[in-house]
Amino acid sequence: MTRGGVVYHAPLTAAADAATVGGRAVRLVEAVLRDLDPPRDLPLAYHLQDHNRSRAEEQFLGWTVPVLDRLRERGHPLATLPPLAGPSPDAVGVPLQDAAVPFASLSRDVHAAPGLLIGLRLGCHPRSGLAGAVRATALACASADGKRALQQGVQPRIERAVCGGCGMCVSLCGNDGVRHNGHVAAIRPETCLACGDCLAECHTGALKFPEGGGDALQARLGAYAAAVVRGKPRRGVWLAFLLGEPQRRAVNLARAAALPDLGVLAAADPVALDLAAAALLDAAVPFASLSRVAHEAPGLLIGLRLGCHPRSGLAGAVRATALACASADGKRALQQGVQPRIERAVCGGCGMCVSLCGNDGVRHNGHVAAIRPETCLACGDCLAECHTGALKFPEGGGDALQARLGAYAA
């Protein structure tokens, strides 16, 4: 493996405070810079991915500001690239050896920058797959015309007859990609980046992506990112956060947690970073074992009573979806390592837990209660009612459970 293909990874969860995450990010970026060994005064143009919700933006800035401060201390002059919603009107055409994408229309600011820093939060996208470093690079560095070309044919559409006019999509979009015309919402093709956030939160189902287009979009994103990287050999740093993507970002509780919290990554190659992120995700949740009925059903309705859970946090739509749609094997995999345990010496044998459990997850053996691993869903109801304290959850396991539930719901 070449040094450009090395990816540095610091395992973390979103529960870590901003100082911890920012400190790890600084160390990873410094490791990449040691490999690249650029001039100490190399100017860097940087782009920190925008976020549509102020809470997520504040969190992201808390993670990345220490990186910018450290780069300034090292002597690197920093210049901010235009935000995604307001790209530079000046464009530079970069020829590509690709029949599908003959040239890339890049921002002049990007093309002229000696070095580059791209910071992003990894996510999922229904058309481009992993919304990672390659996609962030293409969108951050394309000109206004380039952004329109990238999203051609894949921007969502709004069914006017279905739209309820609530304006949720308008308030969520940080790119001014959707407007309200007084009655219903309307996509603005000149600014919509087809990120998909509006679709995830639309409760009427009026917003839809057009059929197909995924392969073409992936090809365009890859070609644009390649044009950027080739123009700055060994002068680019990519920093990605695989953190904070579950329900904390969602407005609509029906939105699934897309990715587990797996930490911070940094590399000098966006493709290598995305491949490393994909490998981490595959290792964390290699596959979901769903029931055949749930998999083949054309549509789905999940009803639930919201509550709290000592291991998964909010016992909401994501958890209910995962448990309702998992197969028998999937349910066992979801609860692995987080089912409660009964201290036999403490159990009084009252049978309260047996009578409360609606999943036949606990049985009475004539003297004390015993958990049935094959049916226990680790809901925690039995613990809440046990007056002897014999029932206890094992230490830890909450982050792993959240990751599994989110992956199954996704």
Side-chain angles (χ1 to χ4, degrees), residues 46-64:
Y46 72 90
H47 175 83
L48 303 180
Q49 188 180 32
D50 291 337
H51 291 280
N52 299 347
R53 300 163 182 81
S54 60
R55 187 172 169 188
E57 170 124 0
E58 290 170 5
Q59 183 184 50
F60 188 77
L61 289 175
W63 296 342
T64 52

Side-chain angles (χ1 to χ4, degrees), residues 385-400:
E385 303 295 344
C386 179
H387 65 277
T388 66
L391 275 154
K392 289 183 172 64
F393 272 117
E395 292 296 323
D399 292 336

